[in-house]
């Protein structure tokens, strides 16, 4: 088959060849999107914030000057100082260390929640869009019912019923997020399910599974990635909201929301205790949101 | 059109039965014996058994589930709260108005400030005004509203004493809760209005309007806004639904006697009927709001109307279109 090369494409190809010392750089829509993403300052800022927070979680014992549960009865409710950067709480525990260790609780819960929601909701959505018909109808009706309960409320009910531990928290939160995830995946796949390449791969004998996950999903990846990054920010908020309400992670564990919940009583006398954990929540949500906005511009450059 | 509306309204019934079923069985998993906790640690086994009988807990789960559904649909009976010993519906009707007022006021604030700012931001794209509005909106959307509430309480109630830190007997007590809840819906509206406006501004009919010499002001109000408002209208509706069901933490910070607070308290006190009734009530309101949103969506957008009611499109095309719009 003859290749159609416009002068414009020729120019782009020449530029690429020059850059890669004679080797033609491969270019896919995804790589173009990546290039646009790393040129986008807000997206890079978002990514940087998230990477710093993740590193903080990984290296918490090296960063935190004290153990998160180390009590110092001589220094209770002391304001921020050079010894205790964020001050100490009512038991004399170093707030900075507690916030740093908090990253080890909040972020993994949020990330695992998103993973579970994407695996279950996403698979449902892909199956619905691909098979359509009765199957789609039934699953969507079930999701309608499921989605009629406000997500956060459903999560709270599940966590309250099944007990407080991280696994239950992840399950409870992801159950609240599944309906939306499934709808997003379904909507994204719907736009590509009638494409010719689906027909083509079916005609050469590709199975349902490989069509769905090798052809459909990669071509509908834009809205899917946006939904996942957006959900990460939302879930950080949900984890801390649940713990703040006393349903999620329980007080001795330094989760950011539960730190806020215990600090609430000291709002009048030691407001710094309420300030710092909140800043960490804001930073992580902000990081995901900035990254999400940058990704949207990179994946859909029409609007930029 | 009428057929579509009737279909949507009839569909509410199975949704509610489904919601009851989900929440009922989740609450049945809850640990702890409500009878034992009601009677205290001194209760004998006989007393606990008697209490089980009065609460109906000695019946099989399936029968309780069935009775509950029948009671809800025939007598609007959501059960009796273990704590107040009042019908749950009475409790809910006491707490719900606060939640509704907060949600409506926040949504109003979101519309009044959010849409103009979103339009401004889109019209001034690439200028500092746009950047400021965008930075502001991404910052506000990342704030946990309960934390914002605590910070504002500290500054305006504790330090400056401009507003009372709790209590709704004075109108000033509403200011901070509405501000915190409203910022969220404002941000949502800014972002959706902006992106919808940007999409519309690039359409051919805008160029046509300019080409025929239409005044710029009229282009914005008549050609851009009317088309750009369709997604915004849906977002306002779903935002209202979220406000009704998602302000639990905010209500807890301000100690507002709202439904969210009521449900959280019921959950932590293993007050199953109150929790079940509360969540069910929120789900009913949520479903009704969403129904209104979907119907108004069809009413606002004449293109959608012909697609839902007319036979101009094939079934496949319609399904695809609805899926793209997220309406199914």
């Amino acid at each position: 088959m003859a290749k159609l090369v416009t002068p414009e494409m020729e120019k782009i190809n020449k530029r690429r060849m020059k850059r890669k010392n004679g080797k033609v750089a491969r270019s896919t829509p995804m790589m173009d999107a990546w290039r646009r993403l790393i040129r986008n300052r807000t997206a890079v800022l978002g990514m940087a914030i998230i990477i710093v927070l993740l590193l903080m979680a990984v290296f918490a014992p090296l960063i935190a000057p004290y153990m998160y549960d180390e009590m110092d009865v001589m220094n209770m409710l002391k304001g921020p100082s050079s010894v205790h950067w964020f001050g100490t709480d009512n038991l004399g525990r170093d707030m900075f260390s507690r916030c740093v260790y908090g990253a080890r609780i909040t972020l993994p819960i949020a990330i695992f929640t998103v993973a579970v929601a994407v695996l279950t909701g996403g698979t449902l959505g892909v199956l619905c869009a691909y098979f359509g018909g009765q199957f789609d109808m039934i699953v969507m009706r079930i999701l309608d019912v499921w989605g009629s309960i406000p997500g956060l409320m459903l999560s709270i009910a599940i966590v309250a019923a099944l007990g407080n531990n991280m696994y239950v928290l992840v399950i409870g939160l992801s159950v609240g997020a599944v309906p939306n995830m499934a709808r997003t995946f379904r909507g994204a796949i719907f736009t590509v399910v009638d494409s010719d390449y689906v027909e083509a791969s079916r005609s050469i004998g590709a199975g349902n599974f490989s069509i769905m996950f090798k052809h459909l999903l990669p071509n509908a990846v834009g809205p899917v990635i946006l939904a996942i990054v957006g959900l990460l920010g939302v879930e950080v908020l949900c984890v801390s909201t649940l713990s703040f309400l006393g349903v999620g992670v329980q007080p001795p564990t330094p989760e950011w929301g539960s730190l806020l919940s215990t600090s609430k009583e000291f709002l009048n006398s030691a407001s710094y205790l309420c300030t710092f954990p909140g800043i960490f929540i804001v930073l992580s949500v902000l990081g995901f949101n900035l990254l999400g906005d940058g990704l949207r511009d990179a994946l859909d450059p029409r609007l930029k | 059109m009428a057929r579509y509306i009737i279909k949507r309204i009839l569909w509410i019934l199975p949704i509610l039965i489904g919601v009851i079923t989900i929440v009922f069985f989740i609450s049945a998993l809850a640990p702890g014996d409500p009878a034992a906790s009601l009677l205290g640690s001194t209760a004998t086994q006989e007393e606990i058994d008697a209490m089980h009988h009065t609460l109906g807990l000695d019946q099989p789960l399936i029968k309780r589930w069935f009775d509950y559904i029948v009671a809800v649909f025939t007598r609007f009976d959501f059960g009796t709260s273990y704590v107040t010993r009042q019908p749950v519906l009475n409790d809910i009707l006491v707490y719900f108005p606060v939640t509704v007022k907060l949600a409506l006021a926040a949504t109003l604030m979101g519309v009044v400030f959010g849409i103009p700012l979103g339009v401004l931001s889109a019209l001034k794209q690439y200028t500092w005004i746009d950047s400021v509005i965008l930075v502001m909106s991404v910052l506000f959307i990342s704030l946990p509203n309960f934390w914002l509430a605590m910070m504002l309480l500290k500054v305006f109630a504790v330090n400056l004493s401009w507003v009372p830190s709790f209590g709704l007997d004075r109108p000033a007590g509403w200011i901070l809760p509405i501000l915190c809840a409203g910022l969220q819906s404002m941000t949502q509206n800014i972002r959706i209005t902006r992106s919808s406006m940007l999409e519309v501004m690039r359409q051919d009919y805008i160029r046509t309007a300019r080409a025929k010499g239409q005044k710029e002001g009229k282009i914005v109000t008549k050609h851009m806004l009317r088309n750009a408002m369709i997604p915004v209208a849906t977002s306002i509706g779903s935002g209202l639904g979220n406000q009704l069901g998602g302000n639990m933490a905010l209500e807890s910070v301000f100690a507002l006697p709202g439904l969210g607070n009521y449900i959280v308290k019921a959950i932590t006190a293993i007050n199953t009927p109150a929790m079940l009734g509360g969540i069910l009530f929120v789900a009913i309101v949520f479903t009704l709001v969403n129904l209104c949103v979907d119907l108004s969506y069809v009413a606002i957008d004449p293109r959608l109307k012909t697609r839902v009611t007319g036979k101009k499109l094939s079934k496949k095309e319609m399904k695809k279109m609805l899926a793209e719009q997220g309406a199914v």
Side-chain angles (χ1 to χ4, degrees), chain B residues 10-272:
Chain B
L10 284 181
W11 176 233
I12 290 181
L13 195 71
I15 284 195
L16 292 184
I17 293 180
V19 169
I20 296 178
T21 310
I22 294 175
V23 183
F24 186 89
F25 285 102
I26 291 174
S27 64
L29 292 171
D33 185 350
S37 61
L38 270 180
L39 292 167
S41 51
T42 54
T44 60
Q45 189 57 45
E46 283 83 48
E47 283 173 327
I48 290 178
D49 287 343
M51 195 54 152
H52 274 165
H53 187 71
T54 26
L55 297 178
L57 290 176
D58 51 351
Q59 306 276 352
L61 194 59
I62 298 289
K63 184 169 184 310
R64 268 156 53 202
W65 166 72
F66 187 74
D67 288 347
Y68 189 80
I69 290 181
V70 171
V72 167
F73 283 108
T74 55
R75 286 171 281 148
F76 298 113
D77 177 6
F78 288 68
T80 307
S81 165
Y82 292 160
V83 176
T84 58
R85 307 289 172 94
Q86 291 281 318
V88 172
L89 192 61
N90 289 7
D91 284 357
I92 290 174
L93 293 179
V94 171
Y95 286 95
F96 192 53
V98 175
T99 304
V100 173
K101 279 181 205 159
L102 180 61
L104 286 178
T107 308
L108 186 70
M109 176 183 153
V111 172
V112 171
F113 294 103
I115 294 180
L117 283 176
V119 172
L120 184 70
S121 170
L123 292 177
K124 305 273 179 195
Q125 203 192 1
Y126 304 125
T127 65
W128 64 271
I129 299 178
D130 180 35
S131 321
V132 168
I133 294 177
L134 268 187
V135 168
M136 227 174 60
S137 71
V138 76
L139 199 65
F140 284 150
I141 217 167
S142 311
L143 287 173
N145 60 9
F146 57 93
W147 182 66
L148 180 68
M150 285 161 81
M151 293 294 107
L152 292 180
L153 264 182
K154 171 70 185 160
V155 175
F156 293 106
V158 179
N159 292 1
L160 297 170
S161 311
W162 287 358
V163 291
S165 53
F166 63 89
L168 295 173
D169 29 308
R170 283 197 285 155
W174 283 98
I175 294 178
L176 289 187
I178 292 174
L179 192 66
C180 292
L183 270 182
Q184 228 169 8
S185 71
M186 181 183 96
T187 322
Q188 205 80 32
N189 288 339
I190 289 180
R191 290 163 71 94
I192 291 183
T193 309
R194 179 176 181 273
S195 63
S196 166
M197 277 292 282
L198 288 179
E199 187 109 24
V200 169
M201 279 160 69
R202 284 164 172 70
Q203 297 294 324
D204 290 340
Y205 52 77
I206 299 297
R207 197 180 310 133
T208 312
R210 278 215 181 90
K212 73 173 188 188
Q214 179 70 283
K215 287 199 194 82
E216 194 59 32
K218 268 203 165 158
I219 295 179
V220 173
T221 50
K222 281 193 103 173
H223 297 266
M224 290 183 186
L225 268 179
R226 286 186 69 168
N227 286 295
M229 279 308 108
I230 293 164
V232 180
T234 355
S235 129
I236 293 170
S238 60
L240 179 64
N242 290 336
Q243 293 277 358
L244 285 169
N247 276 336
M248 287 158 286
L250 204 59
E251 286 178 4
S252 134
V253 172
F254 290 111
L256 298 182
L259 196 53
N261 220 344
Y262 176 75
I263 293 173
V264 171
K265 273 189 199 140
I267 289 174
T268 36
I270 334 178
N271 188 353
T272 319

